[in-house]
Amino acid sequence: MLESSSTYASRIRRFRLPRVCIAVVGSDAATMSERAESLLRDNPFLELRLDYLPQPLAALPKLKHLLEIHPEATFIATCRRAVNGGKFKGSVASELAVLRRAADLGFPLVDLELQSAEELKAEELRDLWDRVGLILSHHNFRSTKKLDEEFAAMSQYRADFYKLVSTATNLYDNVLMMKFLEKTFGTHEMVGVCMEEQGIISRVLGVRAGSVFTFAAATKGEETAPGQVTASELRDVYRIEMVDQATQVYGVAGDPVSHSLSPVMMNAAFRRETVNAVFLALHAKSLKDLLACVQGIPIRGLSITMPYKQEIVAALANSDPLTRLIGACNTVVRAADGKLYGFNTDVAGIVVPLEQRLTLAGARVLILGAGGAARAAAFGLQAKGAEVFITNRTPASGVALARQAKGKYVKRAELAKQQFDVIINATPVGMNGAKQAPLEEKELNTKLVFDLVYNPAETKLVKMARAKSIEVIPGLEMFVQQGARQFEIWTGKPAPIAEMGYVVTKALERKAAEEAEEEEKALAKKGTARKAAVRKAAKKPAKATRKR
Ligand code: NAP
């Protein structure tokens, strides 16, 4: 017999749970205990993954001290069996023995997989429930298809929390999970999340839809499920503790999108201006999936990045004249009636930093590239009265753009002989650690270089320009300016530009430091391998000598 939901409520009132639970792993009890200890200062809610220990039952008494000295913290004991996606090789009876022992040692919550519950006798389950708070879990490692059926099987059993974890294979799977959570909100204490990269948004939006809490990794590399993000990212970037049903949802959509710094910048802007909104990264494998997700969540605004800037134009109910002229949209507003309206803020991102430095009317501006960013530059600058020149790897598209934007096409071979006021790099050359520049030194005949590439902050082109004492505008300025316009379109408030620039600069510095550390490690590894090879080679002649 199931208890009524009000009885559940009075029972779980004991658990005043934070939003984020960190899964802690370790190869032995001492390591796990140490790891938990280091996390507890900032994270009072931990799941100890006992199944990662070689002998969980024997190890449990060694974890008791941790519970005793941290009465303020909430611990979940989990001993998931290997057949259910965990590491524990023992039987269901052994899993039950571990969870009972954990309960007796003072763990307030234990996690039991549905498949294990199905194998236990009713009195064994009742006994466990009498001892400890029970989280009944079900993991679907393939899809997000049958949430209602899966939950129907779970709700046969009495539990304090029901944890339903599915696998997202597209963005719309998150919508299915949100709708399910909204439906069960108020009747059951649910924890719902979609795994995998496509499901990352469910880790933030789940709590908005009614999930009591969500799971996070302690650090990158310590994930216990695919798509898990770190607790600090959930708290510091997404402000998960503030997310509620009134929180508006925005996002950057593209493929790929995980490298995007838009979430860091936009969430900081929302925080600074106290806007109850969250900005997510939406990895859209198709525009159709993205549009279905936008309507299903629903999402209030989108920043559109590669490869959908052109494709999305056909899905818009209306757009501003520049978007129509350029044929590319980077900003979408979803109106109350569900219709999508498009804007192009890349133009402002290019024009505003230039206008802060020179008069554009009559200025000779060379644009490298003929893609989306080059189109925004060409039309935006032409509208300001600049003389626009284009050069491109594929001359045909460069010639076409020059014609459309009333500019001139310049052959690469002629660049060294020409003089410009501004050169804009609108190609990806120099991005993400690439050491190339889109031009040679002799072709940099200009007063100002604007490199639209913003990661890394100091590209090869920027360094070359500085070495020739040419003024530089880094791509970061475009990124912040186009984001500032987006913020204003979405919220109607002035954007906190200084804050936005600051957080992106810091994020790029962190990224550069991480990359330098990785490079150092790789070099050290190479060095060790080389030393080993030298040692091996040194042994060979000795062998040969013996032979002779
Ligand atoms: P896109 O539409 O794909 O266009 C890329 C352009 O670069 C094309 O003209 C392409 O020439 C050219 N190109 C690509 N690889 C090249 C190479 N190896 N050598 C020479 N030319 C090459 O991309 P997009 O949206 O315009 O973006 C271009 C770059 O602008 C991005 O990579 C990004 O770094 C930067 N961007 C920055 C911001 C910002 O906020 N700072 C915003 C948007 C874009 P073909 O025609 O021959 O293919």
Side-chain angles (χ1 to χ4, degrees):
M1 248 309 260
L2 281 180
E3 289 204 350
S4 73
S5 56
S6 61
T7 321
Y8 278 127
S10 63
R11 186 172 142 88
I12 59 139
R13 224 166 271 141
R14 287 190 285 133
F15 305 113
R16 293 173 58 85
L17 299 176
R19 286 276 176 86
V20 180
C21 177
I22 299 187
V24 185
V25 298
S27 52
D28 56 57
T31 316
M32 185 175 277
S33 188
E34 233 170 70
R35 191 72 192 106
E37 189 70 55
S38 69
L39 291 166
L40 276 166
R41 201 163 50 103
D42 300 321
N43 309 281
F45 190 15
L46 302 181
E47 177 191 36
L48 300 193
R49 288 295 300 262
L50 304 176
D51 49 318
Y52 279 66
L53 301 170
Q55 288 179 313
L57 195 59
L60 265 171
K62 295 178 198 145
L63 294 169
K64 191 178 175 215
H65 182 63
L66 184 71
L67 274 69
E68 283 170 350
I69 58 172
H70 290 286
E72 79 291 355
T74 305
F75 293 92
I76 304 174
T78 299
C79 192
R80 185 158 304 122
R81 296 179 66 224
V83 285
N84 300 321
K87 301 263 184 225
F88 186 57
K89 302 260 168 53
S91 63
V92 173
S94 316
E95 180 188 3
L96 180 65
V98 172
L99 297 185
R100 268 187 182 156
R101 184 86 176 103
D104 296 345
L105 288 175
F107 277 85
L109 287 164
V110 298
D111 183 306
L112 183 73
E113 195 72 15
L114 171 65
Q115 284 87 335
S116 297
E118 285 169 342
E119 286 186 37
L120 292 174
K121 293 191 188 104
E123 56 269 28
E124 288 173 320
L125 268 176
R126 194 178 319 118
D127 171 69
L128 187 64
W129 197 80
D130 282 343
R131 290 167 194 247
V132 69
L134 182 62
I135 302 172
L136 189 69
S137 293
H138 177 62
H139 292 75
N140 180 337
F141 290 96
R142 275 197 295 275
S143 65
T144 306
K145 292 273 178 288
K146 298 175 178 166
L147 299 177
D148 288 326
E149 276 174 45
E150 284 164 352
F151 181 61
M154 294 173 86
S155 57
Q156 303 289 316
Y157 300 93
R158 188 167 57 175
D160 295 293
F161 298 95
Y162 295 93
K163 176 179 149 195
L164 189 48
V165 181
S166 66
T167 297
T169 58
N170 53 49
L171 284 176
Y172 193 73
D173 283 343
N174 295 283
V175 178
L176 297 177
M177 179 58 85
M178 296 314 117
K179 288 191 186 304
F180 169 76
L181 286 169
E182 280 163 10
K183 204 163 54 188
T184 47
F185 182 70
T187 61
H188 294 87
E189 296 296 315
M190 292 298 308
V191 176
V193 77
C194 297
M195 292 185 286
E196 290 299 345
E197 199 203 344
Q198 299 269 288
I200 285 178
I201 63 170
S202 74
R203 297 185 181 271
V204 180
L205 296 180
V207 297
R208 181 175 172 271
S211 182
V212 184
F213 58 90
T214 193
F215 286 87
T219 60
K220 273 194 180 132
E222 288 186 272
E223 297 84 2
T224 54
Q228 221 174 47
V229 290
T230 64
S232 60
E233 204 177 340
L234 280 180
R235 269 198 301 263
D236 303 341
V237 178
Y238 297 108
R239 297 179 296 149
I240 195 156
E241 301 291 349
M242 309 289 292
V243 170
D244 58 27
Q245 282 167 342
T247 302
Q248 307 285 359
V249 183
Y250 296 85
V252 53
D255 181 19
V257 82
S258 59
H259 65 283
S260 174
L261 293 179
S262 291
V264 169
M265 179 170 74
M266 288 302 186
N267 284 309
F270 288 146
R271 180 199 302 257
R272 171 51 65 108
E273 293 303 311
T274 53
V275 179
N276 186 4
V278 66
F279 191 95
L280 306 165
L282 304 157
H283 186 176
K285 291 276 176 62
S286 73
L287 188 66
K288 191 173 164 224
D289 181 31
L290 172 65
L291 295 174
C293 177
V294 168
Q295 299 297 357
I297 294 273
I299 290 174
R300 289 279 294 244
L302 280 177
S303 172
I304 303 287
T305 184
M306 285 191 329
Y308 300 120
K309 284 187 182 183
Q310 272 111 17
E311 204 183 334
I312 196 150
V313 174
L316 302 172
N318 206 350
S319 54
D320 66 347
L322 264 178
T323 302
R324 285 200 292 276
L325 195 63
I326 297 164
C329 161
N330 79 327
T331 307
V332 172
V333 175
R334 182 186 175 280
D337 61 2
K339 287 189 180 156
L340 305 181
Y341 296 89
F343 300 84
N344 192 309
T345 69
D346 281 340
V347 175
I350 294 165
V351 168
V352 172
L354 284 171
E355 277 185 323
Q356 286 166 352
R357 287 159 171 102
L358 78 159
T359 306
L360 283 172
R364 287 168 59 86
V365 184
L366 171 69
I367 300 164
L368 312 176
R375 291 182 73 78
F379 287 104
L381 293 168
Q382 197 273 335
K384 292 282 173 186
E387 203 181 337
V388 173
F389 298 84
I390 314 268
T391 193
N392 190 41
R393 180 178 63 178
T394 308
S397 43
V399 169
L401 175 57
R403 198 173 42 241
Q404 289 162 11
K406 300 186 179 69
K408 295 187 187 90
Y409 187 77
V410 193
K411 287 184 187 150
R412 176 79 192 256
E414 285 166 18
L415 285 186
K417 292 179 250 156
Q418 300 256 2
Q419 187 67 39
F420 300 98
D421 294 304
V422 181
I423 294 180
I424 300 176
N425 175 32
T427 77
V429 180
M431 244 175 110
N432 293 329
K435 302 271 193 289
Q436 300 93 341
L439 291 180
E440 288 178 33
E441 208 184 305
K442 62 174 191 240
E443 297 167 315
L444 271 185
N445 302 319
T446 179
K447 293 177 193 146
L448 201 158
V449 163
F450 191 173
D451 194 347
L452 303 192
V453 171
Y454 69 89
N455 186 10
E458 287 283 306
T459 59
K460 174 89 183 289
L461 178 66
V462 164
K463 285 181 190 156
M464 275 167 59
R466 288 198 206 284
K468 285 186 83 174
S469 301
I470 297 170
E471 192 183 349
V472 164
I473 308 179
L476 187 96
E477 278 198 39
M478 174 185 177
F479 184 65
V480 174
Q481 282 294 344
Q482 60 80 31
R485 295 286 89 74
Q486 292 182 322
F487 182 90
E488 286 161 5
I489 289 170
W490 291 328
T491 65
K493 292 182 171 211
I497 292 191
E499 173 79 4
M500 292 164 82
Y502 176 79
V503 292
V504 177
T505 306
K506 287 286 153 205
L508 282 172
E509 281 172 8
R510 271 197 306 276
K511 211 159 179 250
E514 276 166 26
E515 277 163 14
E517 202 181 314
E518 287 297 312
E519 210 168 299
E520 228 168 74
K521 269 188 206 158
L523 280 175
K525 212 171 163 189
K526 236 184 188 177
T528 319
R530 199 176 305 123
K531 272 187 200 158
V534 170
R535 274 201 301 273
K536 203 171 164 191
K539 280 183 190 163
K540 274 190 179 159
K543 246 185 174 176
T545 316
R546 275 203 301 276
K547 262 191 185 170
R548 254 187 268 133

